[in-house]
Amino acid sequence: MPDVRSTSFTRRGLLAVGGAIGLGVALTACGDDKGKSTGSAPQGTTGASGKSGPWSFKDDRGTTVKLDALPTRIAAFTGVAAALYDYGIKVDGVFGPTTAKDGKADVQAGDMDVSKLTVFGNKWGQFNVEKYAAFQPQVLISTTYDSTGTLWYVPEESKDQITKLAPSVAVSAYDRQLPQSLQRMWALAESLGGDMKAAKVTAAKKRFEDASARLRAAAKANPGIRVMAGSASDALFYVSGTNLSIDLEYFKALGVNFVEPPESAKKATGGWFESLSWENVDKYKADVIIMDDRTATIQPADITKATWKKLPAVKAGQVISRSPEPILSYDKCVAMVENLAKAIESAKKVA
């Protein structure tokens, strides 16, 4: 995969495919993950629901962060900021894929106006610590994709500097199904003052539940349709297993019949996926292919490999997009569930 900052293919490398400093600034806000921040947010700050007063949240690492008031200077991984935006929570500072090469919003930025954001780093390994310090964050929020709670897109080499500047919150997307992570992001948004009874919010949750029921029914009615989750780079094609991926684990639980690489093939990658040369891209038989939609991966329309074009699912036009790092709001997760349901409903058995 391109831009992987690792000598071996790991989960971190797979997910970071696309992006995949000494401090001279006087720090006016600091804290640690288990103590109260000394940030300067005014007392009585309110969220979208009118909530005010002290704020605390126990994250998926078991860490409880406490502040004297609802934070107004939030820094977050772009996908997290996009999810909170859907719940009425404004995040001004972000890190992670935010703008594409043409300057437009990256797919992970959701509905946010990226021109109004302070961006600390747009690619894997980028994080301007001095800019972050000048932002005076009160809390940093990210996802985590491992059992140790590593903050997603916070560089290993500068994490100690970064996490000293503000307490951090982690929402886990590791070894669980999508609804659990959606519920945790919901709880976080609610704690931050989101209006979780707003018509738009409750309607999105209902649409997600309906889409899930539709996918379950589609899978039950078409048990022979095999689905393969893939991701493309210049040199290799990656086949993802369902284990540990919040979307694939959920779809499998709903009855979707997935191609599953053997454990021996996934061993070198930490158990997440198998790497195939383009000459061997036809190793597995699939009727539907769901492809990584992140901007740093090669999208299906741009794949020129002859072996790809010969795949039965490709020839039949049975290729759809997949979001390996879904924006964890119900609104943003509806489409990928509906699209898979529709693809299975209409798919021809071609493999």
Side-chain angles (χ1 to χ4, degrees), residues 77-275:
F77 170 65
T78 303
V80 170
L84 292 175
Y85 179 89
D86 286 348
Y87 294 131
I89 305 301
K90 183 181 179 183
V91 175
D92 293 315
V94 299
F95 53 93
T98 306
T99 57
K101 291 180 180 179
D102 59 6
K104 295 181 180 179
D106 186 275
V107 64
Q108 294 191 61
D111 294 332
M112 294 188 297
D113 183 348
V114 296
S115 68
K116 297 181 179 179
L117 298 173
T118 299
V119 183
F120 309 117
N122 195 56
K123 294 182 179 180
W124 182 258
Q126 292 181 353
F127 199 115
N128 190 321
V129 183
E130 292 183 345
K131 189 175 183 179
Y132 178 65
F135 180 76
Q136 298 182 17
Q138 293 167 297
V139 65
L140 179 149
I141 308 173
S142 189
T143 43
T144 184
Y145 285 92
D146 60 36
S147 60
T148 62
T150 303
L151 294 169
W152 191 233
Y153 264 80
V154 173
E156 185 69 23
E157 60 272 17
S158 55
K159 69 175 183 179
D160 290 342
Q161 292 173 299
I162 293 167
T163 55
K164 285 179 181 178
L165 298 174
S168 63
V169 168
V171 175
S172 181
Y174 174 75
D175 198 19
R176 57 185 56 189
Q177 294 180 20
L178 181 59
Q180 187 175 354
S181 293
L182 284 170
Q183 289 161 11
R184 291 297 291 148
M185 190 63 73
W186 175 289
L188 175 61
E190 186 173 36
S191 78
L192 288 167
D195 183 359
M196 313 314 286
K197 294 182 180 179
K200 180 180 178 180
V201 172
T202 57
K205 189 173 187 292
K206 180 63 164 56
R207 293 201 323 273
F208 177 83
E209 292 166 350
D210 291 345
S212 297
R214 179 183 175 184
L215 179 55
R216 185 189 293 277
K220 184 176 181 180
N222 301 277
I225 297 298
R226 296 190 78 203
V227 179
M228 180 168 67
S231 184
S233 74
D234 255 342
L236 296 169
F237 182 83
Y238 305 89
V239 179
S240 295
T242 58
N243 186 39
L244 305 179
S245 296
I246 59 171
D247 61 329
L248 301 185
E249 281 199 12
Y250 182 51
F251 299 155
K252 184 178 181 179
L254 292 176
V256 177
N257 180 10
F258 278 101
V259 168
E260 294 281 7
E263 292 304 314
S264 58
K266 297 187 293 180
K267 187 174 181 181
T269 66
W272 294 87
F273 61 95
E274 179 181 4
S275 307

Side-chain angles (χ1 to χ4, degrees), residues 6-74:
S6 173
T7 57
S8 63
F9 292 114
T10 62
R11 171 62 169 175
R12 198 168 173 85
L14 172 65
L15 284 172
V17 62
I21 306 176
L23 295 178
V25 180
L27 307 179
T28 60
C30 63
D32 59 42
D33 286 351
K34 296 183 180 181
K36 290 187 177 181
S37 167
T38 56
S40 56
Q43 296 289 331
T45 300
T46 60
S49 67
K51 180 179 178 180
S52 63
W55 176 75
S56 70
F57 185 78
K58 185 175 182 179
D59 75 358
D60 290 337
R61 300 169 300 180
T63 298
T64 299
V65 176
K66 297 180 180 180
L67 299 177
D68 292 334
L70 285 175
T72 57
R73 301 288 286 178
I74 301 173

